[in-house]
Amino acid sequence: MPLRLTLLPAFLLTACVAVVAAGADPAVTRRTAGYTLGNIKLTREDGKNVVLADELNDSRPLVVNFIYTSCPGICPLSSQVFSEVQHQLTASGNHVHLVSISIDPENDTPAKLRAYAHKYAAGPGWNHYTGSVSAIAATEQAFGVYAADKMDHAPVTLVRKKADGPWVRFDGLVTADMLIREIRGESQAGTPPAAR
Amino acid sequence: MRRATAIACGIIATLLGQVSPGVASPASQQLTAESIYREGTLPSGTAVRAKRDIGGQIVSMEGAAVACANCHKRSGLGSIEGHIVSPPITGKYLFRLPALNAQDLTMPHVATFRAAHPPFTRMTLARAIREGIDPDGHVLNNLMPRFELSDAQMALLTDYLETLSPTTSAGVDSETLHFATVITPDVEPTQRQAMLSVLTQFFADQGRGEHLYFDGKLIGHAAEQGFADIPHLNTQRKWKLHVWELSGAADSWEQQLRSKLAAQPVFALLAGLGSAHWAPIHHFCEEQAVPCLFPNLDVPVLAEQDFYPLYYSKGVFLEAGLMADALRVSLTTHRLQRVIQIFRAGDAGVPGAADLRRILAPSGTAVETRQLPAITATADAAERAATLAKAVSGVTGADALVLWLRAADLAALPSSPPPGVSAIASGLMGGLERAPLGAAWRPVTRLSYPFDLPQNRALRMQLPLQWFTLRKVDVVDERIQSDTYLACVILAGTLNRMSDAYVRDYLVETIEDILGKRPTNAYYPRLNLAPGQRFASKGGFVAHFAGSEGTALDADGDWISPPD
């Protein structure tokens, strides 16, 4: 019995760690950021090999996120938000370039990206990209979202209103209206309800 | 699970009045609470509907996109993605007092467990599922959809959660974890011995039970101290290996496996060794809900919708993709007119060649096959050489030759290849860098190489090779032994993570979760799984010999991940 008691604190500690992880506040934070992309070559969903910097050299406002097609939780939500952003901005006559970059390049072939885009009713102006393992790693590193394992990825969304403007980075489960307000230059009225 | 399904069907029939009580049609038997949970499908066959506030608009979603199992997993024990935690939602975790694990020794520890909220009642659970509000009145984040379920459907789902993953799976007792390894009768005795030498030694190492330390000193083992009955104090049970050797025709193997499982339940199948026919083992695992972890195979079963069988790679199917990539280039640049594939009846080259033909079909390339007779016990060297000479006769410099051949056949090729020919050989079948190609074949033959190249993996291989040395395991088939060792190490790491939550579904989910986080994987540059991904290594090289002799290889290009 004494031995059993000495072991208990270890288990309490384990339990506490789990609670902290569960209680981590995923509310959205917003900050401006600068990124240098270099000469990263990716493959678009139509199979065309492209230079990422050229793809992003765009007169339209840009919104970038990171997904993988077999992702069960965060990515479907993130893609739904993109779908809504595209729907609302297109309806109001604003053009935006949505860019979704796969972080599981060995699995996510252009064909899989096309099927994924179709699932979220992606229209023209919403592109999906994959590439070699090293090119995708370089992309993740360039945008400060690198995770050695795809399942460790955190939700990050990037917005750039003008080609020569700064990036705005959202960490957390961003909503469609937050992105639309950012693109339209409206102030952000707080963050969504603290999630648990 | 089958019995649970049948019971659930009865409940559905009664509650929803969609089927007359007592009449369970085959269709209704499929439409269960399990399908709400896993597939997002209602007993009526229509999709579960839910809403999600994505900002600016409440969007409707339905079906598989809102299946509970996406985030809470098939086991119900939850998941962690980034820093987003989807907690366990089995009855045990939902309805119990908010005990920390250590205060409730019957409650297995899972990393996703949240002790922060009061226990749910059936009523507050329904509110959480429909409105996204937890028992404390907190709003759940918008990853959690707000579901439209009737009272009857909610009752079905709640009953299902109460009974989901309730206890330790079969094959686990208070002191021992039972595993089996399956060997089909058509494998080489040396390969069998190679695999078993590693498994036997690894299991012997696991046999001592959990080490207990006090003030940094080893004071004994959990089992010896009488803690075997306390799950939390015996999270490293002894491993016991059962070698399941199959016999007779392949169509009897599934029944043999069912009998063996009935006689000795096991928690999972580990490693294993097969030749061209693994489908019976694959089907057995899926039907009996037994994880089948990383068998040594050339021909896996391509069925990524299945849950329990996990493979290192697509084997010869991956090689067909690598070869097609290389052939596309040479067909164009060297204006080759024909691809000639040589393989033996009944061997792994048959499905490999068929797949390469399938991949090349849209290009209009002429593909010819030359099938050699299956090797018989009486075949001698002269006969083998004559068969191979005949197979390559008539091949010209305008042909690309594809060799789906074992090492003994490669060694028996005529000493001079057809003039001007270019060949590509299955590295997997031919022995990788040790493929015994004659001196004149080496400069004109490339290898499909569905692993990292020797020079790239040398550092990573120190771990298994040093273990073999320390444990006095003779290395007779480095790849099989390394892959078997890796399967053991992955299992050990997974069990470590699972603590005492010994549930088969959770074993598979935990492997999915940790595999991509492993720093080194012997022959493989990366291993990765996800829901719907069942082949952990997804690419390879096309390589050629660097010199006129020896095992040094150079890659023709970068690592290739061929499309399906």
Side-chain angles (χ1 to χ4, degrees), chain B residues 255-280:
Chain B
Q255 184 51 45
Q256 290 178 40
L257 289 167
R258 281 195 287 266
S259 303
K260 288 175 189 294
L261 184 69
Q264 173 57 64
V266 295
F267 189 43
L269 302 188
L270 178 65
L273 189 58
S275 186
H277 308 288
W278 195 255

Side-chain angles (χ1 to χ4, degrees), chain A residues 71 80 84 104 106 176 195, chain B residues 54 57 61 81 141 533 559 561:
Chain A
C71 168
Q80 237 171 6
E84 179 64 16
D104 187 15
E106 287 198 279
Chain B
I54 58 168
Q57 195 168 336
M61 306 182 301
E81 192 182 343
N141 76 34
Q533 289 185 28
W559 174 265
S561 304

Side-chain angles (χ1 to χ4, degrees), chain A residues 1-12, chain B residues 214 227 233:
Chain A
M1 186 54 76
L3 180 61
R4 180 174 158 184
L5 289 174
T6 60
L7 287 171
L8 280 178
F11 290 106
L12 282 168
Chain B
F214 185 74
F227 292 122
L233 301 187

Side-chain angles (χ1 to χ4, degrees), chain A residues 178-194:
Chain A
M178 292 174 79
L179 294 176
I180 291 168
R181 280 203 303 272
E182 188 64 45
I183 291 162
R184 288 178 173 159
E186 299 164 10
S187 64
Q188 298 288 345
T191 55

Side-chain angles (χ1 to χ4, degrees), chain B residues 330 334-338 394-401 417-422:
Chain B
S330 51
H334 303 299
R335 300 195 179 159
L336 301 180
Q337 290 162 5
R338 197 168 50 155
V395 174
T396 73
D399 298 321
L401 198 53
V421 77
S422 72

Side-chain angles (χ1 to χ4, degrees), chain B residues 400-433:
Chain B
L401 198 53
V402 178
L403 305 171
W404 297 98
L405 298 174
R406 299 285 171 188
D409 281 334
L410 291 179
L413 284 165
S415 56
S416 301
V421 77
S422 72
I424 185 162
S426 158
L428 196 53
M429 294 181 66
L432 299 177
E433 64 275 14

Side-chain angles (χ1 to χ4, degrees), chain B residues 43 59 98 134 159 214 241 283 293 315 368 382 391 417 462 479 499 536 551 555:
Chain B
V59 298
D134 82 359
D159 289 346
F214 185 74
L241 178 68
H283 294 146
L293 311 178
E368 196 179 304
Q462 286 183 9
R479 183 176 64 81
S499 192
T551 56

